Amino acid sequence: MTGGYMPLSRSQSTSEAIHSAALLVSREQSVLDAWLYERLKRALDIVLSCFLLLLFGPLMLLIAVIIKLDTPGPALYVQRRVGKGGHVFRFHKFRSMFNDIDHTIAHRRFSKEYINGNHSAAQSSHQNGLYKPPGNGSSITPAGHWLRKYSLDELPQLVTVIKGNMSLVGPRPSMDYEVEECADWHLRRLDVVPGITGLAQINGRSALSFDDIVRFDIHYIENRSLWMDLRILLKTAPVVLLAHGAS
């Protein structure tokens, strides 16, 4: 032995080799599990979305007719939303607001206050502590109040799920100007495909601060599984039917 160098014994070398091999197997298993999960999740998205479109197809047609009869304007409202990796896609909802009013300026102002934690400016005291733009209630059509209360305005997003820009379960997609206001840690939400429903939607919806929503989303991203997705879907139905936290 020279220079203070002590060679590894055969048992030490074998132990380290076994440990390295175990880590490699563990990483490969994690990659395989993630690959399998993503494909099972995608299959669930397509099958369940197609089933729901067939089930609610007549209702969606009726809603479109009611919107057209209720106020002038198109039945569908199109927005730019940001998905996985910053990909921007077209997001469709049933129109629930008057068509002849520009809502963008008020919503941009609300989003900036809401995302940056200015709760006093973003929270509407006359709406049971829900976060919503000031004057938003007067901008919603008579039919729109009913559609929003039971989240029926979200039904067209089933088509977006089939296209692959959204999933049934995941963080709700933000508008492009909302992403501009996000802190770096908020952007973790863009690591996965956005969803129609998620942990935040079954734990408060519009009654949550933006930071709390992001915390729920990050928890989902770090722990997601097919079983978690199924639990969220099952819990979404009663939350929607009872209109908990609806805005």
Side-chain angles (χ1 to χ4, degrees):
M1 182 177 68
T2 61
Y5 171 72
M6 180 179 293
L8 292 174
S9 66
R10 179 173 297 181
S11 61
Q12 287 176 309
S13 300
T14 302
S15 176
E16 289 188 359
I18 292 174
H19 180 66
S20 297
L23 288 176
L24 180 61
V25 170
S26 177
R27 283 196 294 268
E28 290 177 347
Q29 184 63 46
S30 296
V31 171
L32 178 61
D33 290 345
W35 181 88
L36 182 60
Y37 165 71
E38 292 291 350
R39 274 138 192 84
L40 289 175
K41 180 181 177 68
R42 181 64 183 143
L44 177 66
D45 281 344
I46 294 174
V47 172
L48 191 51
S49 294
C50 288
F51 170 75
L52 292 174
L53 281 173
L54 289 173
L55 179 64
F56 292 116
L59 175 61
M60 292 173 70
L61 180 60
L62 177 61
I63 289 173
V65 172
I66 291 174
I67 293 172
K68 294 292 290 183
L69 294 175
D70 186 43
T71 57
L76 289 177
Y77 180 66
V78 184
Q79 294 177 322
R80 285 166 52 88
R81 296 287 179 110
V82 181
K84 182 178 179 180
H87 168 69
V88 178
F89 64 94
R90 290 167 64 86
F91 177 91
H92 297 81
K93 299 177 71 171
F94 280 124
R95 181 174 60 84
S96 60
M97 305 181 79
F98 289 100
N99 190 54
D100 56 351
I101 301 175
D102 184 2
H103 312 282
T104 307
I105 296 176
H107 194 271
R108 278 178 177 266
R109 187 180 304 115
F110 161 78
S111 297
K112 183 174 182 177
E113 302 292 348
Y114 179 53
I115 293 171
N116 287 285
N118 189 348
H119 297 167
S120 59
Q123 194 166 48
S124 178
S125 59
H126 64 282
Q127 290 291 337
N128 300 319
L130 301 182
Y131 292 97
K132 58 184 297 185
N136 194 36
S138 61
S139 302
I140 301 175
T141 65
H145 284 284
W146 173 68
L147 292 174
R148 287 191 172 200
K149 182 176 181 180
Y150 297 105
S151 298
L152 294 173
D153 58 327
E154 311 284 356
L155 286 175
Q157 291 161 39
L158 292 170
V159 177
T160 312
V161 171
I162 293 174
K163 289 181 177 180
N165 288 321
M166 290 181 64
S167 174
L168 290 173
V169 181
R172 287 292 292 168
S174 297
M175 280 172 271
D176 46 5
Y177 59 80
E178 291 177 321
V179 173
E180 294 173 3
E181 297 294 334
C182 288
D184 289 344
W185 72 278
H186 292 155
L187 299 179
R188 180 76 191 281
R189 305 170 77 234
L190 303 182
D191 286 353
V192 299
V193 176
I196 294 179
T197 186
L199 277 181
Q201 283 62 54
I202 63 173
N203 285 284
R205 302 172 73 182
S206 298
L208 297 172
S209 69
F210 186 74
D211 281 357
D212 284 339
I213 288 176
V214 176
R215 290 186 185 98
F216 275 119
D217 290 339
I218 292 176
H219 178 80
Y220 169 76
I221 291 169
E222 293 178 344
N223 298 278
R224 61 199 182 116
S225 66
L226 202 61
W227 173 237
M228 177 179 280
D229 288 347
L230 290 172
R231 282 194 297 125
I232 291 172
L233 287 172
L234 289 173
K235 289 184 177 182
T236 296
V239 168
V240 169
L241 291 174
L242 296 174
H244 288 160
S247 62

